[in-house]
Amino acid sequence: MTHTGTDATAAGDHPPGVPRAGGSTDRAPLLREEVQALAEVYRSAQQAQLMLRSAGYPASAVPAGAITMGNFWSQVSAELENGAMAAGRDRILAKAHAEHPFHSLFASAATRRPGDASASAEAGDPPKGADDRLRVMVLGAEPARYGVNRAAAELREVVREARGRLDVRLFPAAGGADLAEIRSVLPHVLHLACHGTQDTLVLEDAHGEAHHLAADDLADTLKLVAEHRGHRLRALLLRSCDSEHTAERFTPYADIVIAHRGALDAECAVLFATGFYRELAALSSSAAAREIAAAAHFAAQDTVNQAAMCRSLRTGLIVLPETA
């Protein structure tokens, strides 16, 4: 049924982000999780406005005076339901996917209609409201003039192997500011795919250049999340060279820390990520540390079975505590 003027009276009683039965997909609102994802990725009104303009969203319907970005995108959703933009939801999500191709929600949302339960089932997603998936936050960085580390390929494999069974939040071209998202995502698994030194992790600045983050600063960030949010990581994955020098600093804030001794080949790291997230996708959010540790050991052996040149990845694998 097409949304008409006679529906306006009832609209005030209808929960935002929940489609009406039989509602036209041309006026489909954004789902709640889509509003959240857009707010996480487009963190300022200026960024969001630029994206909306490039997607063809009318300037007259752009929210003004939104207090938070969640409120901003909720207002956009309401405008879409009122017919502000033809096929607006599809076009906005397609644009978000084009700008953030490794974001799992944007990749799947464009093919899912609000209220279409079969689409979620076909994608392998658990029923809405019964989400028992592990939350995974992946920060990938490959700054200019710092050597190739295949971070983008690694992020792609995480999404591919998750197959909707993991709640994956990707942060490509990650910088220090992205660490603030830890306290909103509250991930079970935090994965950093980047270069590293004995004391730092190499992320990106606003210009794509190297930003050296002290390992102690990351540890302090996780400490604050534990103290003020009551949240402890189930696992921290340090996918960088020489991460054995910093791994123990994080054991107070993660049940297990997965790291690597010495140099880490980029291609081998991608293979490891494929195997690790394939194993992880079979686990629930209540998975024990020993199960995640086992996933790391299985993935390391699977990597060697595929490429003998990656043997050092298995022999150099570090999982702390060693009893995990």
Side-chain angles (χ1 to χ4, degrees), residues 121-141:
E122 290 173 2
D125 290 337
K128 191 175 178 181
D131 197 340
D132 193 33
R133 299 175 296 174
L134 282 166
R135 285 191 307 280
V136 180
M137 180 176 177
V138 189
L139 287 82

PDB file of all heavy atoms in Angstrom, residues 121-141:
ATOM      1  N   ALA A 121      17.437 -14.419   6.312  1.00  0.00           N
ATOM      2  CA  ALA A 121      17.663 -15.847   6.448  1.00  0.00           C
ATOM      3  C   ALA A 121      18.578 -16.362   5.362  1.00  0.00           C
ATOM      4  O   ALA A 121      19.469 -17.171   5.598  1.00  0.00           O
ATOM      5  CB  ALA A 121      16.310 -16.585   6.396  1.00  0.00           C
ATOM      6  N   GLU A 122      18.381 -15.865   4.129  1.00  0.00           N
ATOM      7  CA  GLU A 122      19.218 -16.319   3.034  1.00  0.00           C
ATOM      8  C   GLU A 122      20.657 -15.888   3.230  1.00  0.00           C
ATOM      9  O   GLU A 122      21.585 -16.557   2.816  1.00  0.00           O
ATOM     10  CB  GLU A 122      18.685 -15.758   1.712  1.00  0.00           C
ATOM     11  CG  GLU A 122      17.372 -16.378   1.290  1.00  0.00           C
ATOM     12  CD  GLU A 122      16.784 -15.684   0.082  1.00  0.00           C
ATOM     13  OE1 GLU A 122      17.431 -14.758  -0.435  1.00  0.00           O
ATOM     14  OE2 GLU A 122      15.687 -16.065  -0.331  1.00  0.00           O
ATOM     15  N   ALA A 123      20.864 -14.728   3.859  1.00  0.00           N
ATOM     16  CA  ALA A 123      22.219 -14.235   4.077  1.00  0.00           C
ATOM     17  C   ALA A 123      22.888 -14.939   5.241  1.00  0.00           C
ATOM     18  O   ALA A 123      24.063 -14.744   5.496  1.00  0.00           O
ATOM     19  CB  ALA A 123      22.188 -12.724   4.343  1.00  0.00           C
ATOM     20  N   GLY A 124      22.147 -15.750   5.975  1.00  0.00           N
ATOM     21  CA  GLY A 124      22.725 -16.455   7.097  1.00  0.00           C
ATOM     22  C   GLY A 124      22.682 -15.669   8.390  1.00  0.00           C
ATOM     23  O   GLY A 124      23.296 -16.050   9.371  1.00  0.00           O
ATOM     24  N   ASP A 125      21.978 -14.551   8.416  1.00  0.00           N
ATOM     25  CA  ASP A 125      21.888 -13.739   9.623  1.00  0.00           C
ATOM     26  C   ASP A 125      20.939 -14.397  10.625  1.00  0.00           C
ATOM     27  O   ASP A 125      19.935 -14.984  10.256  1.00  0.00           O
ATOM     28  CB  ASP A 125      21.355 -12.339   9.304  1.00  0.00           C
ATOM     29  CG  ASP A 125      22.365 -11.519   8.532  1.00  0.00           C
ATOM     30  OD1 ASP A 125      23.550 -11.853   8.632  1.00  0.00           O
ATOM     31  OD2 ASP A 125      21.955 -10.569   7.854  1.00  0.00           O
ATOM     32  N   PRO A 126      21.245 -14.263  11.920  1.00  0.00           N
ATOM     33  CA  PRO A 126      20.305 -14.755  12.926  1.00  0.00           C
ATOM     34  C   PRO A 126      19.072 -13.880  12.951  1.00  0.00           C
ATOM     35  O   PRO A 126      19.119 -12.739  12.499  1.00  0.00           O
ATOM     36  CB  PRO A 126      21.102 -14.621  14.235  1.00  0.00           C
ATOM     37  CG  PRO A 126      22.121 -13.560  13.952  1.00  0.00           C
ATOM     38  CD  PRO A 126      22.435 -13.659  12.494  1.00  0.00           C
ATOM     39  N   PRO A 127      17.948 -14.380  13.461  1.00  0.00           N
ATOM     40  CA  PRO A 127      16.728 -13.580  13.503  1.00  0.00           C
ATOM     41  C   PRO A 127      16.940 -12.297  14.292  1.00  0.00           C
ATOM     42  O   PRO A 127      17.635 -12.294  15.303  1.00  0.00           O
ATOM     43  CB  PRO A 127      15.722 -14.512  14.216  1.00  0.00           C
ATOM     44  CG  PRO A 127      16.283 -15.875  14.045  1.00  0.00           C
ATOM     45  CD  PRO A 127      17.764 -15.716  14.005  1.00  0.00           C
ATOM     46  N   LYS A 128      16.343 -11.216  13.835  1.00  0.00           N
ATOM     47  CA  LYS A 128      16.453  -9.944  14.531  1.00  0.00           C
ATOM     48  C   LYS A 128      15.856 -10.079  15.925  1.00  0.00           C
ATOM     49  O   LYS A 128      14.800 -10.647  16.109  1.00  0.00           O
ATOM     50  CB  LYS A 128      15.713  -8.853  13.749  1.00  0.00           C
ATOM     51  CG  LYS A 128      15.998  -7.454  14.254  1.00  0.00           C
ATOM     52  CD  LYS A 128      15.335  -6.439  13.362  1.00  0.00           C
ATOM     53  CE  LYS A 128      15.564  -5.038  13.873  1.00  0.00           C
ATOM     54  NZ  LYS A 128      14.919  -4.034  13.040  1.00  0.00           N
ATOM     55  N   GLY A 129      16.551  -9.526  16.939  1.00  0.00           N
ATOM     56  CA  GLY A 129      16.095  -9.630  18.304  1.00  0.00           C
ATOM     57  C   GLY A 129      16.658 -10.848  19.001  1.00  0.00           C
ATOM     58  O   GLY A 129      16.468 -11.036  20.197  1.00  0.00           O
ATOM     59  N   ALA A 130      17.362 -11.711  18.274  1.00  0.00           N
ATOM     60  CA  ALA A 130      17.975 -12.892  18.881  1.00  0.00           C
ATOM     61  C   ALA A 130      19.435 -12.952  18.470  1.00  0.00           C
ATOM     62  O   ALA A 130      19.954 -13.995  18.125  1.00  0.00           O
ATOM     63  CB  ALA A 130      17.226 -14.151  18.438  1.00  0.00           C
ATOM     64  N   ASP A 131      20.105 -11.806  18.506  1.00  0.00           N
ATOM     65  CA  ASP A 131      21.482 -11.704  18.034  1.00  0.00           C
ATOM     66  C   ASP A 131      22.433 -12.276  19.073  1.00  0.00           C
ATOM     67  O   ASP A 131      22.624 -11.703  20.139  1.00  0.00           O
ATOM     68  CB  ASP A 131      21.826 -10.238  17.742  1.00  0.00           C
ATOM     69  CG  ASP A 131      23.073 -10.123  16.883  1.00  0.00           C
ATOM     70  OD1 ASP A 131      23.853 -11.089  16.848  1.00  0.00           O
ATOM     71  OD2 ASP A 131      23.263  -9.069  16.256  1.00  0.00           O
ATOM     72  N   ASP A 132      22.992 -13.422  18.755  1.00  0.00           N
ATOM     73  CA  ASP A 132      23.945 -14.075  19.655  1.00  0.00           C
ATOM     74  C   ASP A 132      25.315 -14.124  18.995  1.00  0.00           C
ATOM     75  O   ASP A 132      26.114 -15.009  19.272  1.00  0.00           O
ATOM     76  CB  ASP A 132      23.450 -15.485  19.994  1.00  0.00           C
ATOM     77  CG  ASP A 132      24.219 -16.108  21.160  1.00  0.00           C
ATOM     78  OD1 ASP A 132      24.642 -15.350  22.062  1.00  0.00           O
ATOM     79  OD2 ASP A 132      24.428 -17.331  21.157  1.00  0.00           O
ATOM     80  N   ARG A 133      25.581 -13.170  18.128  1.00  0.00           N
ATOM     81  CA  ARG A 133      26.841 -13.171  17.383  1.00  0.00           C
ATOM     82  C   ARG A 133      27.956 -12.482  18.172  1.00  0.00           C
ATOM     83  O   ARG A 133      27.707 -11.584  18.978  1.00  0.00           O
ATOM     84  CB  ARG A 133      26.667 -12.465  16.048  1.00  0.00           C
ATOM     85  CG  ARG A 133      25.651 -13.096  15.126  1.00  0.00           C
ATOM     86  CD  ARG A 133      25.457 -12.265  13.862  1.00  0.00           C
ATOM     87  NE  ARG A 133      24.894 -10.950  14.159  1.00  0.00           N
ATOM     88  CZ  ARG A 133      24.739  -9.991  13.255  1.00  0.00           C
ATOM     89  NH1 ARG A 133      25.122 -10.209  11.991  1.00  0.00           N
ATOM     90  NH2 ARG A 133      24.210  -8.834  13.581  1.00  0.00           N
ATOM     91  N   LEU A 134      29.174 -12.888  17.912  1.00  0.00           N
ATOM     92  CA  LEU A 134      30.333 -12.185  18.437  1.00  0.00           C
ATOM     93  C   LEU A 134      30.451 -10.842  17.721  1.00  0.00           C
ATOM     94  O   LEU A 134      30.306 -10.760  16.507  1.00  0.00           O
ATOM     95  CB  LEU A 134      31.610 -12.998  18.190  1.00  0.00           C
ATOM     96  CG  LEU A 134      31.873 -14.182  19.119  1.00  0.00           C
ATOM     97  CD1 LEU A 134      32.969 -15.061  18.537  1.00  0.00           C
ATOM     98  CD2 LEU A 134      32.263 -13.710  20.510  1.00  0.00           C
ATOM     99  N   ARG A 135      30.692  -9.784  18.478  1.00  0.00           N
ATOM    100  CA  ARG A 135      30.942  -8.469  17.890  1.00  0.00           C
ATOM    101  C   ARG A 135      32.440  -8.329  17.625  1.00  0.00           C
ATOM    102  O   ARG A 135      33.260  -8.486  18.534  1.00  0.00           O
ATOM    103  CB  ARG A 135      30.479  -7.344  18.819  1.00  0.00           C
ATOM    104  CG  ARG A 135      29.002  -7.146  18.865  1.00  0.00           C
ATOM    105  CD  ARG A 135      28.631  -5.851  19.597  1.00  0.00           C
ATOM    106  NE  ARG A 135      29.232  -5.775  20.922  1.00  0.00           N
ATOM    107  CZ  ARG A 135      28.744  -6.389  21.997  1.00  0.00           C
ATOM    108  NH1 ARG A 135      27.652  -7.136  21.893  1.00  0.00           N
ATOM    109  NH2 ARG A 135      29.329  -6.255  23.172  1.00  0.00           N
ATOM    110  N   VAL A 136      32.756  -8.017  16.391  1.00  0.00           N
ATOM    111  CA  VAL A 136      34.154  -7.911  15.968  1.00  0.00           C
ATOM    112  C   VAL A 136      34.410  -6.509  15.432  1.00  0.00           C
ATOM    113  O   VAL A 136      33.689  -6.036  14.550  1.00  0.00           O
ATOM    114  CB  VAL A 136      34.479  -8.954  14.871  1.00  0.00           C
ATOM    115  CG1 VAL A 136      35.943  -8.829  14.427  1.00  0.00           C
ATOM    116  CG2 VAL A 136      34.198 -10.367  15.379  1.00  0.00           C
ATOM    117  N   MET A 137      35.413  -5.853  15.957  1.00  0.00           N
ATOM    118  CA  MET A 137      35.804  -4.517  15.499  1.00  0.00           C
ATOM    119  C   MET A 137      37.183  -4.631  14.875  1.00  0.00           C
ATOM    120  O   MET A 137      38.141  -5.054  15.538  1.00  0.00           O
ATOM    121  CB  MET A 137      35.813  -3.537  16.670  1.00  0.00           C
ATOM    122  CG  MET A 137      36.211  -2.118  16.312  1.00  0.00           C
ATOM    123  SD  MET A 137      36.059  -1.024  17.757  1.00  0.00           S
ATOM    124  CE  MET A 137      36.666   0.518  17.064  1.00  0.00           C
ATOM    125  N   VAL A 138      37.288  -4.287  13.599  1.00  0.00           N
ATOM    126  CA  VAL A 138      38.546  -4.428  12.869  1.00  0.00           C
ATOM    127  C   VAL A 138      39.027  -3.066  12.402  1.00  0.00           C
ATOM    128  O   VAL A 138      38.323  -2.358  11.679  1.00  0.00           O
ATOM    129  CB  VAL A 138      38.391  -5.362  11.648  1.00  0.00           C
ATOM    130  CG1 VAL A 138      39.766  -5.655  11.040  1.00  0.00           C
ATOM    131  CG2 VAL A 138      37.711  -6.663  12.049  1.00  0.00           C
ATOM    132  N   LEU A 139      40.225  -2.696  12.813  1.00  0.00           N
ATOM    133  CA  LEU A 139      40.853  -1.461  12.371  1.00  0.00           C
ATOM    134  C   LEU A 139      41.987  -1.811  11.419  1.00  0.00           C
ATOM    135  O   LEU A 139      42.932  -2.522  11.803  1.00  0.00           O
ATOM    136  CB  LEU A 139      41.405  -0.651  13.555  1.00  0.00           C
ATOM    137  CG  LEU A 139      40.378   0.043  14.446  1.00  0.00           C
ATOM    138  CD1 LEU A 139      39.814  -0.945  15.475  1.00  0.00           C
ATOM    139  CD2 LEU A 139      40.995   1.230  15.175  1.00  0.00           C
ATOM    140  N   GLY A 140      41.882  -1.337  10.187  1.00  0.00           N
ATOM    141  CA  GLY A 140      42.916  -1.599   9.190  1.00  0.00           C
ATOM    142  C   GLY A 140      43.592  -0.314   8.776  1.00  0.00           C
ATOM    143  O   GLY A 140      42.932   0.708   8.557  1.00  0.00           O
ATOM    144  N   ALA A 141      44.917  -0.318   8.694  1.00  0.00           N
ATOM    145  CA  ALA A 141      45.657   0.884   8.306  1.00  0.00           C
ATOM    146  C   ALA A 141      46.820   0.506   7.400  1.00  0.00           C
ATOM    147  O   ALA A 141      47.520  -0.479   7.649  1.00  0.00           O
ATOM    148  CB  ALA A 141      46.171   1.620   9.534  1.00  0.00           C
TER     149      ALA A 141
END
